[in-house]
Amino acid sequence: MKWGQVDLEELNMTTFPEDTTAAAVILGDYATLKFDFGQGTRYVFEHHRRIKILDKSAFDYGDVQLYLYGNDQISGLKAQTISRGSGQTFRLKGRDFYEEEVADEVKALKFTFPNLEEGAVIEYTYTITSDRIVQLRSWYYQHDIPVRWSELHIDIPIWFEYLFLTNGRSPDINEQERLTQSFRVVQYKTKQAGFSGTYQQASGTTTMSGEVNRYRFVMENVPALREEAFMTTLDDYRASLRFQLQAVRFPDQPVDQILSTWPDVAKRLLTSTSFGLQFDKKRNQKQLLSALEPYLPADGTPSEKALAAYYYLQDILKWDGTYWYNAEEGVLECFERKKGSSGELNLIMMTVLKALEIECYPVLLSTRSHGKMIQLYPIVRQFNHMVTVARINDQLLILDLSDDERPAGVPRKASLNKVGWLVSETNPQWINIAPPGASTARMFQMSLSENGDLSYQIQTKSEGYHAVAVRTQTAGEAGLEALTESLLERFPQSTTKEMQLKLPENPVDAVKAGYKADVPGAAQAFNDFIYFSPCILPYFEENPFQKAERSYPVDLAHPFDVRDVFIIEIPEGYLLEEMPEAASFTLPGKAGSFEFTPTETTGKVNLVYSLRLDKTHFEPEEYPALKHFLDLVIEKQGEQFVFRKKT
């Protein structure tokens, strides 16, 4: 793909044949990565990308950000828009590029393509030189628009041993060859520095030859990666290639082992001033325990004090919204300002547990939105969060401190990413993060008027994550009004009254709530008949799985079960003409079940509705069964009781 040379076919393209719904397509994505030793050990990454804009909804692809880390240097940056039909070019100039600092040692170089129009082609090219050789630039074959051709060439001297971490689909072309290359290498001379001894000073460059492993990776017609319901993060499934330096083996020199072992990583973390020494330092333990002492049961057991400390800290500390696993500042400073990252809050929890002589361990993990973890290789940068595992009342509980309304043993949903790595000096290991469940039981007592208006009283009992949701919702600005939000969204003309909420002192216990409501026109009154579907607040209003097939797994955060009991008074002067048929069906492997049981008693009809999903992960081949299961649920919950006026 040569700069500025666009085929007429590409200029005149109006749709992409492999994906006619695509608003844009990456026509070509080419990059080379080579090593350079002329100014120390660096790599040079050259990248050229060309995009076809098919619809104005894709104009956002004309805004580009290139990220520079640490001492990265960028050169040779060019960008241009090529008009459809005429082929006229509009090139960006120096003043069109600007840098912004987006984080510590991270800059974004930004630019916007001019004269965008439907049918235009945009392209840009640049070279980045970087000394960050431990992790080379990652290569992403897949994006949220389709890619016609993606190709990476990479030359790695045999002295460097890299792990190639592939994700998603494998390359269509994977070629490797061994060849000899010449490199410019810095020469050093030894200089005398008087009383201070000697030092090395660069004195020019020389050339040397070395063997290189050359790789070529190609993917063709890569489909767009689009978000679907109940996924962790798109990057878990994005076709990509990452590089992690494992060891350096220069001739006649000792091997420099870059990637260590899990026990070595554990030892390094536990002796780190920003991690292990925070909770092992006796001064930190003593001061935090002294600050919490007035709020702990004086005669309580260590377990009772630990739980009291968890709930007190949850109440007074504020999570700053960021995830990390160590402390940017010390735990005492974080406690003093009453705010911190997820890692800082949980390091405070670890320190208090240590002070109480509770058996506890830090567990590193990656949040659901951050991506899956690689258990085989000790790569610490894959983690972005930390929780605590503690033995309390002879049970191992996960304590994930934050400022929300979660009981001990119920980690935040973001932590539910299957596994975590327990940091222990003697036995570091991967552990399963088994999610607690969520359950809700609701009792509806309903009465219908002759014109189809509904009055009902509801009592609910919520446990697990559903109880957390109720506590969180009602703690916000809406207060108790949050209990009726879903009703008012579906039936805006409704009115509610007598709202009640019972929050138990023990956060583990169920949350109970209730209210009364009037819902005009909830049933259909026609001639001498009333048609009524009592499932007015279904758990699923529609099936979240609309596609016939799915490319990615379904990943629920936690299992759940809901049970609704409806007691419906038959309107005065009416008879039950027809009621839905009972139904019962299950998912393969007992992964879920649904029960729908209507009955008639004197003057009333009853319906018991029970839905549960016990499995949280469904592979793509299991998706059709899950979709069909929920299709049946949606169909049944819409079925109606029919009442006929007496004659």
Side-chain angles (χ1 to χ4, degrees):
M1 188 169 71
K2 295 185 178 181
W3 178 256
Q5 296 184 15
V6 182
D7 293 340
L8 282 177
E9 176 191 351
E10 295 173 341
L11 277 178
N12 295 326
M13 180 190 297
T14 56
T15 59
F16 184 52
E18 281 74 16
D19 183 355
T20 56
T21 65
V25 56
I26 297 177
L27 298 172
D29 217 6
Y30 287 82
T32 62
L33 190 150
K34 296 181 179 181
F35 278 72
D36 175 72
F37 303 95
Q39 298 180 27
T41 303
R42 306 183 303 174
Y43 71 81
V44 180
F45 178 78
E46 298 181 9
H47 183 202
H48 181 190
R49 175 175 291 170
R50 181 177 291 164
I51 302 174
K52 173 73 174 184
I53 304 296
L54 298 167
D55 187 87
K56 61 184 178 182
S57 63
F59 283 179
D60 286 348
Y61 292 100
D63 297 320
V64 178
Q65 297 187 46
L66 305 175
Y67 291 96
L68 305 173
Y69 304 93
N71 297 319
D72 288 359
Q73 295 177 344
I74 191 166
S75 60
L77 177 57
K78 296 190 294 184
Q80 65 182 4
T81 303
I82 305 173
S83 293
R84 180 188 175 191
S86 67
Q88 184 179 2
T89 60
F90 302 91
R91 295 174 182 171
L92 278 77
K93 299 179 181 179
R95 64 177 179 271
D96 299 319
F97 304 99
Y98 62 98
E99 278 188 6
E100 282 186 7
E101 190 166 339
V102 294
D104 189 28
E105 293 201 349
V106 181
K107 294 179 181 178
L109 194 150
K110 301 181 178 182
F111 55 95
T112 298
F113 284 90
N115 299 88
L116 285 184
E117 60 181 4
E118 291 183 349
V121 170
I122 58 177
E123 66 176 340
Y124 57 94
T125 183
Y126 60 90
T127 299
I128 287 178
T129 304
S130 176
D131 59 4
R132 300 167 64 89
I133 66 166
V134 174
Q135 288 101 29
L136 305 179
R137 287 260 160 177
S138 300
W139 183 249
Y140 297 97
Y141 301 99
Q142 195 168 26
H143 300 267
D144 53 1
I145 55 176
V147 180
R148 190 172 66 176
W149 189 272
S150 179
E151 181 167 344
L152 172 67
H153 293 246
I154 181 167
D155 290 354
I156 300 181
I158 60 170
W159 314 308
F160 297 100
E161 185 179 317
Y162 279 91
L163 293 173
F164 287 36
L165 305 174
T166 59
N167 194 57
R169 161 182 160 187
S170 298
D172 302 316
I173 299 174
N174 184 343
E175 297 175 346
Q176 179 182 353
E177 61 177 320
R178 177 75 64 88
L179 61 147
T180 301
Q181 281 186 356
S182 295
F183 299 99
R184 288 187 309 118
V185 179
V186 179
Q187 284 184 309
Y188 291 94
K189 284 186 178 180
T190 301
K191 292 278 188 176
Q192 190 70 29
F195 293 109
S196 61
T198 61
Y199 66 96
Q200 296 287 315
Q201 184 180 56
S203 62
T205 61
T206 186
T207 58
M208 65 175 289
S209 296
E211 289 188 302
V212 169
N213 288 316
R214 171 167 289 177
Y215 302 89
R216 177 176 179 246
F217 303 103
V218 177
M219 277 195 193
E220 186 177 8
N221 291 329
V222 188
L225 185 64
R226 297 188 176 105
E227 192 163 3
E228 298 181 14
F230 298 106
M231 294 176 68
T232 46
T233 173
L234 286 175
D235 283 342
D236 279 351
Y237 312 105
R238 189 185 306 277
S240 61
L241 182 58
R242 293 181 291 147
F243 309 92
Q244 168 70 46
L245 184 59
Q246 189 169 15
V248 179
R249 304 176 184 274
F250 283 121
D252 303 321
Q253 293 187 24
V255 175
D256 185 3
Q257 193 68 41
I258 305 298
L259 202 60
S260 59
T261 64
W262 283 117
D264 286 342
V265 172
K267 183 177 180 180
R268 189 170 73 245
L269 284 168
L270 292 172
T271 55
S272 167
T273 56
S274 62
F275 191 77
L277 294 185
Q278 288 294 319
F279 52 77
D280 273 338
K281 193 179 293 185
K282 295 299 181 182
R283 172 175 169 269
N284 291 351
Q285 295 177 15
K286 183 178 179 181
Q287 290 199 28
L288 284 178
L289 188 58
S290 175
L292 267 61
E293 201 76 51
Y295 308 98
L296 307 182
D299 299 324
T301 65
S303 290
E304 290 170 339
K305 290 184 177 182
L307 289 174
Y310 170 82
Y311 291 116
Y312 175 71
L313 291 171
Q314 187 183 62
D315 189 48
I316 67 164
L317 297 180
K318 180 76 174 175
W319 177 45
D320 67 9
T322 63
Y323 288 104
W324 198 231
Y325 59 81
N326 61 13
E328 297 294 330
E329 297 184 32
V331 293
L332 296 181
E333 290 79 6
C334 179
F335 180 78
E336 183 67 26
R337 70 173 186 266
K338 299 294 186 288
K339 190 174 185 179
S341 68
S342 65
E344 288 169 331
L345 299 187
N346 285 318
L347 284 170
I348 289 176
M349 190 73 247
M350 275 288 302
T351 308
V352 173
L353 293 170
K354 287 279 188 179
L356 292 170
E357 298 183 348
I358 294 285
E359 180 188 355
C360 58
Y361 306 93
V363 175
L364 302 187
L365 51 82
S366 172
T367 56
R368 288 172 63 84
S369 62
H370 188 251
K372 62 186 177 183
M373 289 156 277
I374 301 170
Q375 300 184 34
L376 185 58
Y377 303 113
I379 302 174
V380 180
R381 67 186 175 98
Q382 66 185 314
F383 302 117
N384 75 322
H385 181 43
M386 170 217 153
V387 299
T388 299
V389 169
R391 189 174 296 280
I392 296 176
N393 293 326
D394 294 324
Q395 286 186 317
L396 285 175
L397 292 182
I398 293 178
L399 302 179
D400 189 4
L401 197 62
S402 185
D403 53 6
D404 51 10
E405 301 284 336
R406 285 177 296 102
V410 179
R412 65 185 91 196
K413 287 186 182 181
S415 301
L416 302 179
N417 204 6
K418 300 182 180 62
V419 295
W421 182 59
L422 185 145
V423 186
S424 164
E425 187 174 2
T426 57
N427 189 25
Q429 59 184 290
W430 288 92
I431 63 171
N432 292 325
I433 306 293
S439 66
T440 296
R442 303 185 293 189
M443 170 77 77
F444 293 84
Q445 292 181 308
M446 297 177 152
S447 62
L448 289 167
S449 69
E450 188 173 0
N451 62 0
D453 294 340
L454 169 68
S455 296
Y456 73 85
Q457 181 174 353
I458 181 176
Q459 297 293 328
T460 70
K461 182 175 79 170
S462 303
E463 298 178 280
Y465 283 106
H466 288 176
V468 173
V470 174
R471 286 178 178 270
T472 303
Q473 288 169 357
T474 54
E477 292 183 6
L480 294 184
E481 300 292 334
L483 296 173
T484 62
E485 282 179 356
S486 56
L487 172 67
L488 295 174
E489 285 176 4
R490 296 200 75 203
F491 302 97
Q493 303 303 316
S494 301
T495 57
T496 58
K497 59 184 178 182
E498 298 182 24
M499 283 173 280
Q500 299 176 349
L501 177 65
K502 296 180 180 178
L503 300 177
E505 289 188 12
N506 187 347
V508 177
D509 293 340
V511 171
K512 297 180 180 179
Y515 61 87
K516 292 181 179 180
D518 294 315
V519 187
Q524 291 179 306
F526 184 73
N527 291 337
D528 293 336
F529 295 90
I530 298 174
Y531 303 86
F532 179 56
S533 174
C535 300
I536 61 170
L537 298 174
Y539 192 75
F540 288 108
E541 290 191 31
E542 61 180 19
N543 193 338
F545 308 116
Q546 298 293 323
K547 294 183 178 179
E549 297 180 348
R550 181 170 167 131
S551 303
Y552 316 110
V554 173
D555 239 311
L556 306 176
H558 54 75
F560 70 87
D561 71 86
V562 290
R563 180 181 175 85
D564 289 346
V565 176
F566 302 91
I567 301 172
I568 309 155
E569 295 181 8
I570 298 176
E572 187 174 349
Y574 282 76
L575 299 170
L576 177 64
E577 175 76 3
E578 184 182 336
M579 69 178 177
E581 292 185 4
S584 174
F585 35 89
T586 60
L587 277 167
K590 298 181 179 179
S593 63
F594 178 68
E595 301 282 342
F596 188 90
T597 309
T599 57
E600 181 183 10
T601 58
T602 304
K604 297 178 181 179
V605 292
N606 305 319
L607 173 64
V608 177
Y609 170 110
S610 176
L611 170 64
R612 62 181 300 138
L613 280 177
D614 297 307
K615 185 176 177 178
T616 60
H617 184 86
F618 296 83
E619 290 295 334
E621 57 268 23
E622 299 174 294
Y623 170 77
L626 177 62
K627 179 184 184 306
H628 180 63
F629 173 81
L630 288 178
D631 279 340
L632 294 174
V633 170
I634 302 299
E635 181 181 345
K636 289 304 293 184
Q637 69 189 23
E639 292 184 350
Q640 298 177 323
F641 289 86
V642 181
F643 305 102
R644 177 175 55 83
K645 184 178 287 188
K646 296 177 183 177
T647 56

